[in-house]
Amino acid sequence: MRATVFLLPLALLPIFANEFWLVHIFSRALILGIIALSLTFLATYLGVVSFAQATMAGIAGYVLAYFGPNTVDVGHELPFAAAIPIALLMSVLSGAVVGLIARRSQGIYAIMITLAIAVAFFYFTRQNYSFFNGWTGFSGLRSPQIGDTALRTPVVFYLLCLGVAALLLAMVSGFVRSPMGLTIQAVRDARRRVQAIGIPLTTPIVSAYAFAGFIAGSGGILNVWYQERISSFSVGLGPIVDILTISVIGGLRHPSGAFIGAVAFVLLDTFAIDFVDRERFNTLIGVTLLIIVLLAPRGLRGLWDDTVARFGNARDGGENTGKSQQST
Amino acid sequence: MPVNTINGEPYALDVQGVGRRFGEFWAIEDVTLKVRPGERRAILGPNGAGKTTLFNVITGDFPASSGTIRMFGLDVTTAPVEKRIAHGLRRTYQHALLFDGLTVAETLFLAVCGVAGGWRKILPLRRDDENRDRAIELAHRAGLGDQIDHQVELLSHGQRRQLEIGLALAEDPTLLLLDEPAAGLSPAERPKLAELLRTLPDSVAVVLIEHDMDIALQTSQSVTVLHNGRMLAEGTPQDVMKDADVHRVYVGGSHGH
Ligand SMILES: Nc1ncnc2c1ncn2[C@@H]1O[C@H](COP(=O)(O)OP(=O)(O)OP(=O)(O)O)[C@@H](O)[C@H]1O
Ligand SMILES: [Mg+2]
């Protein structure tokens, strides 16, 4: 119900927004938001920060490039009806593999392991020509046609990104209320206790990473249609840091934070060039991140919640939240 | 050949010469403990005696460094924790170890699913799920009937301890390890806990760590005393109370509670 309040104006956006805003601001923000959602999901519900989410997105993108129409001499063209499921399947599998490798790691160790996997994959794509076409990668990638309309047509593409993002958010909110989703949150809160009620840790952890792989892969497919190319740079340190930045700016406590962070990031990335030059952009992002982390440790989404709570409380006469006052 | 059965029936818990080392330090060493099905056993000992470590080794939280552990005849010395739970073992933690982000009902639901199965489902939980009903029943049993939808993070200290007990009672345990369940409870809450323990089915073997010697001796048929990681005494409460070594440890000063 609350979702429709947000979704309706967003769906009507094509009436007001021009092509530039629709594609290069909003569609791009939705795509980056989807990939960041996979990180935010892991951080919020499994309590683990993964640096391998751009990699999982990239794997889906590469698979689609390999099996889809491209202008490079690598790959086998398949119909999209086959290529898209294969791409998603591979990103789910890559998520499961990362989860299996990182299953015993938390905190800084999970970060290090997922980063190592991501960097290893980056160098692998640069050196492998038979699947990844080396550092040049794939270009001339096209999106599917529905009748006479390509999905990449601005209005259609924007609505597609919006629909996928809404669907994934709905899937996340359903999944976290499922028994497996609750188990994943239990793993976040007390791993030893999970085992002590008879549940092994590997299955929920690997499931969470695999689901994150599915989310990232969905974003990776849209990203390939948006960029119309993919190369080793798509899975390099740049995108890895961008996704992390977006998640942190948005806040790691609620899935919708990923999209709030993505809009902020894309706006900065697009318009900052008007008042600082290219080289200073990273400094600007860094400073923005610093300010947000210092002023709103729970990200923009947390800031939003606090503001709503403050106004809400003011209306109810500042009643307290009913939190236990035990002080023994 | 050690005696592994009593009247032809295997012991609920049969711990043989078990030790656990942290680095160079043996937290427990050469502990042997046999608990019959349905027996009520108290473990006594001063701070740092190794009582909690013994529990951790029995559950598999920390694997044993030496010795063997059997539950109902099954050798579980190297079995993963979940397998021991499936075999009827449950425990509470001395310092409540709970899922702060979940509600009481969700927490107990997972405890039911952990034994009965069903935690692997990826579709949203149905209102009429059978395991959910059992979780709510369990909440009432643990005295948390009014807190079913409360976030665990917001429970009081006493309620957290009750939830620990609720987790341990899920799906008919046959061997229950309770690590100082009364610690930090108010005088009003203690009788409720004692009542709960009294109403456990006779088939459940209970091993209870309790600092308070009076409570321990009242509620148990047999007592094991640990000191510096080793067994100091074992027997009926009457025998143990008369034991000279026990008197030295408890009355002689190192008792810090
Ligand atoms: N994980 C661990 N790593 C290192 N040493 C440990 C660990 N757990 C326990 N110990 C040590 O083992 C000894 C026994 O600790 P244990 O917690 O088993 O005692 P206890 O009898 O339960 O004490 P208390 O009555 O205070 O709960 C202590 O010296 C403790 O410091
Ligand atoms: Mg202890």
Side-chain angles (χ1 to χ4, degrees):
Chain A
M1 215 166 59
R2 218 180 58 183
T4 36
V5 175
F6 285 97
L7 210 52
L8 198 66
L10 287 174
L12 295 177
L13 204 66
I15 301 173
F16 313 102
N18 65 24
E19 206 178 299
F20 171 79
W21 276 84
L22 222 44
V23 176
H24 295 290
I25 304 295
F26 289 112
S27 298
R28 187 172 166 226
L30 284 164
I31 293 167
L32 289 175
I34 289 169
I35 302 173
L37 173 65
S38 75
L39 196 165
T40 306
F41 164 76
L42 283 175
T44 307
Y45 298 106
L46 186 63
V48 166
V49 173
S50 159
F51 273 40
Q53 298 318 109
T55 305
M56 295 175 200
I59 284 173
Y62 266 118
V63 172
L64 199 66
Y66 186 87
F67 289 119
N70 67 51
T71 54
V72 182
D73 250 358
V74 177
H76 300 277
E77 194 169 334
L78 293 177
F80 274 110
I84 294 171
I86 296 174
L88 282 174
L89 185 70
M90 291 309 287
S91 60
V92 169
L93 279 179
S94 69
V97 169
V98 172
L100 211 52
I101 297 170
R103 70 186 185 281
R104 291 192 215 285
S105 311
Q106 284 168 277
I108 189 80
Y109 300 101
I111 291 176
M112 290 309 293
I113 283 192
T114 51
L115 181 62
I117 295 169
V119 170
F121 182 75
F122 167 69
Y123 282 110
F124 182 66
T125 59
R126 298 188 69 130
Q127 282 149 17
N128 176 292
Y129 282 83
S130 47
F131 290 105
F132 298 102
N133 200 29
W135 64 273
T136 44
F138 296 81
S139 54
L141 305 177
R142 276 182 283 116
S143 62
Q145 297 270 133
I146 307 253
D148 287 341
T149 327
L151 283 186
R152 183 60 168 76
T153 315
V155 175
V156 178
F157 188 62
Y158 167 74
L159 290 175
L160 174 71
C161 292
L162 184 64
V164 171
L167 186 70
L168 289 172
L169 269 177
M171 282 178 73
V172 168
S173 87
F175 183 57
V176 300
R177 280 179 286 130
S178 73
M180 178 62 85
L182 292 174
T183 306
I184 289 168
Q185 294 167 75
V187 170
R188 170 198 64 200
D189 290 344
R191 288 194 177 202
R192 264 175 83 188
R193 183 36 113 178
V194 171
Q195 291 179 291
I197 57 174
I199 300 179
L201 293 175
T202 304
T203 314
I205 294 175
V206 170
S207 306
Y209 274 97
F211 185 58
F214 176 80
I215 300 172
S218 309
I221 289 172
L222 293 172
N223 201 29
V224 153
W225 292 336
Y226 170 71
Q227 306 270 356
E228 303 182 317
R229 61 192 160 79
I230 187 167
S231 71
S232 52
F233 297 104
S234 318
V235 292
L237 267 184
I240 291 172
V241 173
D242 289 350
I243 294 304
L244 182 72
T245 308
I246 290 168
S247 289
V248 173
I249 290 180
L252 293 171
R253 299 286 183 85
H254 191 279
S256 64
F259 294 96
I260 299 170
V263 170
F265 179 88
V266 170
L267 287 176
L268 262 180
D269 188 38
T270 311
F271 297 112
I273 200 151
D274 294 346
F275 37 98
V276 296
D277 47 282
R278 250 300 118 186
E279 290 82 75
R280 301 255 173 82
F281 175 69
N282 286 334
T283 317
L284 181 71
I285 279 279
V287 170
T288 311
L289 190 62
L290 199 65
I291 292 172
I292 289 175
V293 169
L294 288 178
L295 293 185
R298 294 188 294 124
L300 293 177
R301 166 72 207 209
L303 200 62
W304 163 263
D305 285 344
D306 291 346
T307 314
V308 170
R310 191 163 309 150
F311 281 111
N313 271 356
R315 264 208 316 267
D316 314 335
E319 209 178 304
N320 81 42
T321 54
K323 194 174 164 107
S324 152
Q325 309 273 300
Q326 187 89 0
S327 58
T328 33
Chain B
M1 190 68 204
V3 185
N4 284 326
T5 56
I6 174 157
N7 304 333
E9 257 196 85
Y11 283 101
L13 177 65
D14 183 359
V15 173
Q16 284 283 347
V18 156
R20 170 69 204 196
R21 204 172 58 170
F22 294 107
E24 289 300 297
F25 172 69
W26 288 84
I28 52 171
E29 209 174 347
D30 198 22
V31 173
T32 294
L33 187 70
K34 292 179 197 300
V35 180
R36 283 175 284 110
E39 185 179 336
R40 304 295 144 99
R41 171 75 60 103
I43 309 269
L44 291 179
N47 290 111
K51 307 180 294 294
T52 299
T53 303
L54 177 61
F55 272 17
N56 284 333
V57 169
I58 295 170
T59 56
D61 280 52
F62 303 143
S65 307
S66 64
T68 60
I69 301 161
R70 286 169 190 277
M71 283 177 51
F72 301 99
L74 183 78
D75 188 337
V76 295
T77 313
T78 57
V81 182
E82 314 88 67
K83 198 168 167 213
R84 306 180 200 210
I85 304 304
H87 213 61
L89 176 70
R90 307 282 187 281
R91 77 172 294 178
T92 65
Y93 286 92
Q94 183 174 358
H95 303 287
L97 197 53
L98 299 168
F99 311 133
D100 280 345
L102 302 186
T103 65
V104 169
E106 288 166 343
T107 299
L108 293 171
F109 169 76
L110 288 184
V112 172
C113 289
V115 181
W119 57 269
R120 289 184 181 81
K121 291 182 191 160
I122 58 169
L123 292 178
L125 185 53
R126 292 162 52 121
R127 274 263 148 202
D128 62 349
D129 193 290
E130 189 191 324
N131 287 354
R132 213 191 117 87
D133 296 341
R134 284 196 257 174
I136 287 168
E137 195 186 301
L138 196 55
H140 284 285
R141 237 178 113 194
L144 292 169
D146 293 334
Q147 282 79 30
I148 282 172
D149 289 319
H150 286 207
Q151 179 111 355
V152 171
E153 198 178 12
L154 305 180
L155 296 180
S156 72
H157 177 80
Q159 289 166 338
R160 290 177 74 86
R161 306 234 48 116
Q162 282 169 282
L163 186 53
E164 274 282 329
I165 307 253
L167 284 172
L169 294 182
E171 297 299 283
D172 306 325
T174 47
L175 174 58
L176 200 52
L177 309 183
L178 304 174
D179 197 346
E180 300 195 33
L185 290 189
S186 68
E189 288 164 328
R190 276 167 185 261
K192 277 192 274 177
L193 175 73
E195 173 66 16
L196 187 74
L197 296 184
R198 258 197 307 279
T199 52
L200 286 176
D202 285 342
S203 57
V204 189
V206 181
V207 183
L208 172 76
I209 297 178
E210 188 46 70
H211 247 299
D212 187 321
M213 203 149 168
D214 297 330
I215 294 188
L217 297 181
Q218 278 165 25
T219 53
S220 307
Q221 302 151 345
S222 52
V223 177
T224 300
V225 183
L226 287 185
H227 182 51
N228 286 337
R230 290 180 162 272
M231 315 248 309
L232 185 72
E234 189 169 72
T236 63
Q238 291 77 16
D239 292 345
V240 168
M241 267 196 297
K242 278 184 279 183
D243 190 288
D245 287 336
V246 174
H247 264 270
R248 195 166 37 76
V249 168
Y250 268 87
V251 186
S254 72
H255 180 34
H257 199 65

